[in-house]
Amino acid sequence: MGLKSKYTLEASDVEKQARHSQLYAPDDVAVPKEAFTEGNSVYAKIQRFAGRFNIEQRGIERVPEDERTDTNLANVGTMWLSANMVVSSFAIGALAVTVFHLGFVDGLLTTLFFNLLAITPVAFYSTFGPRYGLRQMILSRYYFGFHGVKIVAIFNVLACVGWSTVNVIVGAQLLNAVNSNIDGYAGIIIIAAATFVVTLFGYKVVHLYEFWSWIPSFIVFLIVVGEFAHSGDFNKIPMGAGTAEAGSVLSYAASVYGFGTGWTSLAADYTVYQPRTVSRPKVFAWTFGGLIFPLLFTEILGLAIATATVPPSGDGFVNPYYDGYTHSGIGGLLAAVLFPPLGRFGQFCLVVLALSIIANNCPNMYSVTFSLQVLGRWTQAVPRFIWTFVGTVIYCAIAIPGYSHFESVLEDFMLLIGYWLAIYEGIALTEHFVFAHRKYDVTIYATPSSLPPGIAAIGAFCFGVMGAVLGMAQVWFIGPIGKRIGLPGYGGDVGFPLAFAFSSISYAVLRTMEKHVFGR
């Protein structure tokens, strides 16, 4: 017997054992690790081979209580501390000045308040991992149904692969800025290979790497702070006013919110091995703290340094920050801070920040496997670590040609599909607080006939897309509501709040009808 052994309950068996009044399920509906290696099937042989190297064998199957041995809550906090103490979040802060033309104070306030809003769902859903022992995409079956969740999984795959591609291109550009002999494809392969090694081994090694990897990045960012403060080049750009200011604040807020809340669809994946007796408020607090500190620190630092790009070079005036950003993007901006005073050590610092991309991409490449396994029974039959390899190959195949040709197009596309997160949150939170009464029967997580049909969620998802289209203000399209805010041709992005509102309200109506018709 392989995975489909005595440990895998058929739908009829699960229905018989379902205990709809229970908050937690007994461990006989979870899959113990022995099930992955039983028998002589190809699947079992591959899993046994992986087990020799302590590679995590579990995919989307529920984790039994006796295997939830990760009792260190610091792992929860450092997971997100490292994933966000990176050059990617620094780049988000720089957008406030370089793209949206905000002042320092309004940029800072926007960064603060919208990060607080963005990470709250991530911290909230992180508490579901210990409570239910299920991955985030499996938990999503309780909102979207067994088959409807595949739509969400596809969006999550696009997000994980797409952002990994964008991130690895940025990292490769930084390496190339330090040493022009390192071609773009070489930098991409270096970062992707290191990320693959970490994610190949699974949960424990991902957490181990993230436990420490924030330290060198943090030290380098502190050096950046010191050198920039010593330069005296900070420019306190005054706050704007009027329609243009409103549009710029809303559009920058959308970027901040989209980056911070992007971890929501992965949140429970990194706490499933925590015991269910762990304090939920503590898990929430560790996650929240692990997110808010690096996001605020790096984004505000990016914002502060970006102020030095004003005024631009011209008429005999040379601004190294403006020139660096114009010619080499974020790498050029950081080089303008580090290279003149520190020389080769400054180049070393930039290499460290380039490699910080590994910590940012690890959650993407670890969690993309669960979204792929949700797509069908045949995809679940492919071991997690093989999907990790496939995902790595795919984003490298996109990144290598994208390095020189369509990086900006790819980034614009990723920002465009990011609205799905607001739709997901609108549906999931409405189900949790209005219909599920904060309880889920995990004995039915693999039983299509017991889970919600998903019709309401799919309908609400479509309404959410409508809200996003009406309110978005992106390079490719500005919605009719977004056009009414900000300057003509730029607008103001209210796609996220409209997507959330449209999806949550429509879901409340449609789910009421669905429960009345189907009784589940």
Side-chain angles (χ1 to χ4, degrees), residues 168-169 172 175 183-193 395-396 399-401 403:
V168 79
I169 289 174
L175 292 176
D183 293 327
Y185 75 89
I188 288 168
I189 292 173
I190 290 169
I191 296 171
Y395 86 78
C396 283
I400 290 173
Y403 181 86

Short mmCIF file of all heavy atoms in Angstrom, two decimals, residues 168-169 172 175 183-193 395-396 399-401 403:
data_model
loop_
_atom_site.label_atom_id
_atom_site.label_comp_id
_atom_site.label_asym_id
_atom_site.label_seq_id
_atom_site.Cartn_x
_atom_site.Cartn_y
_atom_site.Cartn_z
N VAL A 168 13.79 37.04 -8.02
CA VAL A 168 15.09 36.50 -8.41
C VAL A 168 15.74 37.38 -9.49
O VAL A 168 16.98 37.48 -9.55
CB VAL A 168 14.94 35.04 -8.89
CG1 VAL A 168 14.42 34.94 -10.31
CG2 VAL A 168 16.26 34.28 -8.75
N ILE A 169 14.94 38.04 -10.31
CA ILE A 169 15.50 38.98 -11.29
C ILE A 169 16.14 40.16 -10.56
O ILE A 169 17.26 40.60 -10.91
CB ILE A 169 14.42 39.45 -12.27
CG1 ILE A 169 14.01 38.32 -13.22
CG2 ILE A 169 14.90 40.65 -13.08
CD1 ILE A 169 12.84 38.65 -14.12
N ALA A 172 19.40 39.02 -9.07
CA ALA A 172 20.43 38.86 -10.11
C ALA A 172 20.95 40.22 -10.58
O ALA A 172 22.15 40.36 -10.88
CB ALA A 172 19.85 38.07 -11.29
N LEU A 175 23.50 41.41 -8.07
CA LEU A 175 24.78 40.72 -8.24
C LEU A 175 25.53 41.26 -9.46
O LEU A 175 26.76 41.44 -9.42
CB LEU A 175 24.55 39.22 -8.39
CG LEU A 175 24.03 38.48 -7.15
CD1 LEU A 175 23.75 37.02 -7.47
CD2 LEU A 175 25.03 38.58 -6.00
N ASP A 183 26.66 37.20 -15.21
CA ASP A 183 25.53 37.43 -16.11
C ASP A 183 24.21 37.22 -15.38
O ASP A 183 24.14 36.55 -14.35
CB ASP A 183 25.62 36.48 -17.31
CG ASP A 183 26.80 36.78 -18.21
OD1 ASP A 183 27.15 37.97 -18.32
OD2 ASP A 183 27.38 35.83 -18.78
N GLY A 184 23.16 37.78 -15.97
CA GLY A 184 21.85 37.68 -15.35
C GLY A 184 21.42 36.26 -15.11
O GLY A 184 20.93 35.93 -14.01
N TYR A 185 21.61 35.38 -16.10
CA TYR A 185 21.17 34.00 -15.93
C TYR A 185 21.93 33.30 -14.81
O TYR A 185 21.39 32.45 -14.08
CB TYR A 185 21.33 33.23 -17.25
CG TYR A 185 22.74 32.84 -17.60
CD1 TYR A 185 23.28 31.63 -17.15
CD2 TYR A 185 23.53 33.66 -18.38
CE1 TYR A 185 24.58 31.27 -17.46
CE2 TYR A 185 24.83 33.31 -18.70
CZ TYR A 185 25.35 32.11 -18.24
OH TYR A 185 26.64 31.76 -18.53
N ALA A 186 23.23 33.66 -14.63
CA ALA A 186 24.04 33.04 -13.58
C ALA A 186 23.53 33.46 -12.20
O ALA A 186 23.40 32.63 -11.28
CB ALA A 186 25.50 33.44 -13.75
N GLY A 187 23.22 34.76 -12.05
CA GLY A 187 22.68 35.23 -10.77
C GLY A 187 21.36 34.58 -10.45
O GLY A 187 21.08 34.21 -9.29
N ILE A 188 20.51 34.41 -11.46
CA ILE A 188 19.21 33.77 -11.28
C ILE A 188 19.39 32.33 -10.82
O ILE A 188 18.73 31.87 -9.86
CB ILE A 188 18.40 33.82 -12.59
CG1 ILE A 188 17.92 35.26 -12.84
CG2 ILE A 188 17.20 32.86 -12.54
CD1 ILE A 188 17.36 35.47 -14.23
N ILE A 189 20.29 31.60 -11.45
CA ILE A 189 20.51 30.20 -11.10
C ILE A 189 21.10 30.07 -9.70
O ILE A 189 20.71 29.18 -8.93
CB ILE A 189 21.43 29.53 -12.15
CG1 ILE A 189 20.68 29.42 -13.48
CG2 ILE A 189 21.87 28.15 -11.67
CD1 ILE A 189 21.54 28.92 -14.63
N ILE A 190 22.00 30.95 -9.32
CA ILE A 190 22.60 30.91 -7.98
C ILE A 190 21.53 31.05 -6.91
O ILE A 190 21.45 30.26 -5.96
CB ILE A 190 23.67 32.01 -7.84
CG1 ILE A 190 24.89 31.70 -8.69
CG2 ILE A 190 24.08 32.18 -6.37
CD1 ILE A 190 25.88 32.85 -8.80
N ILE A 191 20.69 32.08 -7.05
CA ILE A 191 19.66 32.35 -6.04
C ILE A 191 18.60 31.26 -6.04
O ILE A 191 18.16 30.78 -4.98
CB ILE A 191 19.03 33.74 -6.27
CG1 ILE A 191 20.08 34.83 -6.07
CG2 ILE A 191 17.84 33.97 -5.34
CD1 ILE A 191 19.63 36.22 -6.48
N ALA A 192 18.19 30.83 -7.24
CA ALA A 192 17.15 29.80 -7.33
C ALA A 192 17.64 28.46 -6.78
O ALA A 192 16.88 27.75 -6.11
CB ALA A 192 16.70 29.64 -8.78
N ALA A 193 18.88 28.11 -7.05
CA ALA A 193 19.42 26.85 -6.56
C ALA A 193 19.49 26.84 -5.03
O ALA A 193 19.15 25.84 -4.38
CB ALA A 193 20.81 26.60 -7.16
N TYR A 395 10.02 28.90 -12.69
CA TYR A 395 10.28 30.33 -12.50
C TYR A 395 11.66 30.72 -13.01
O TYR A 395 11.87 31.86 -13.44
CB TYR A 395 10.00 30.78 -11.07
CG TYR A 395 11.08 30.63 -10.02
CD1 TYR A 395 12.14 31.53 -9.94
CD2 TYR A 395 10.99 29.65 -9.03
CE1 TYR A 395 13.09 31.42 -8.94
CE2 TYR A 395 11.93 29.54 -8.02
CZ TYR A 395 12.98 30.43 -7.98
OH TYR A 395 13.92 30.33 -6.98
N CYS A 396 12.59 29.79 -13.06
CA CYS A 396 13.88 30.09 -13.70
C CYS A 396 13.70 30.25 -15.21
O CYS A 396 14.31 31.14 -15.82
CB CYS A 396 14.88 28.97 -13.42
SG CYS A 396 15.59 29.00 -11.77
N ALA A 399 12.31 33.63 -15.62
CA ALA A 399 13.19 34.72 -15.18
C ALA A 399 14.35 34.97 -16.12
O ALA A 399 14.75 36.12 -16.34
CB ALA A 399 13.70 34.44 -13.77
N ILE A 400 14.92 33.91 -16.68
CA ILE A 400 16.13 34.09 -17.51
C ILE A 400 15.84 34.95 -18.75
O ILE A 400 16.56 35.93 -18.99
CB ILE A 400 16.74 32.72 -17.87
CG1 ILE A 400 17.35 32.10 -16.61
CG2 ILE A 400 17.79 32.87 -18.95
CD1 ILE A 400 17.84 30.68 -16.78
N PRO A 401 14.80 34.66 -19.53
CA PRO A 401 14.49 35.59 -20.63
C PRO A 401 13.91 36.91 -20.12
O PRO A 401 14.10 37.96 -20.73
CB PRO A 401 13.48 34.83 -21.49
CG PRO A 401 12.87 33.83 -20.57
CD PRO A 401 13.96 33.45 -19.61
N TYR A 403 14.80 38.60 -17.58
CA TYR A 403 15.84 39.48 -17.05
C TYR A 403 16.11 40.65 -17.98
O TYR A 403 16.32 41.78 -17.53
CB TYR A 403 17.11 38.67 -16.82
CG TYR A 403 18.26 39.46 -16.25
CD1 TYR A 403 18.39 39.62 -14.88
CD2 TYR A 403 19.22 40.04 -17.08
CE1 TYR A 403 19.44 40.33 -14.34
CE2 TYR A 403 20.29 40.76 -16.55
CZ TYR A 403 20.38 40.91 -15.18
OH TYR A 403 21.43 41.63 -14.64
#
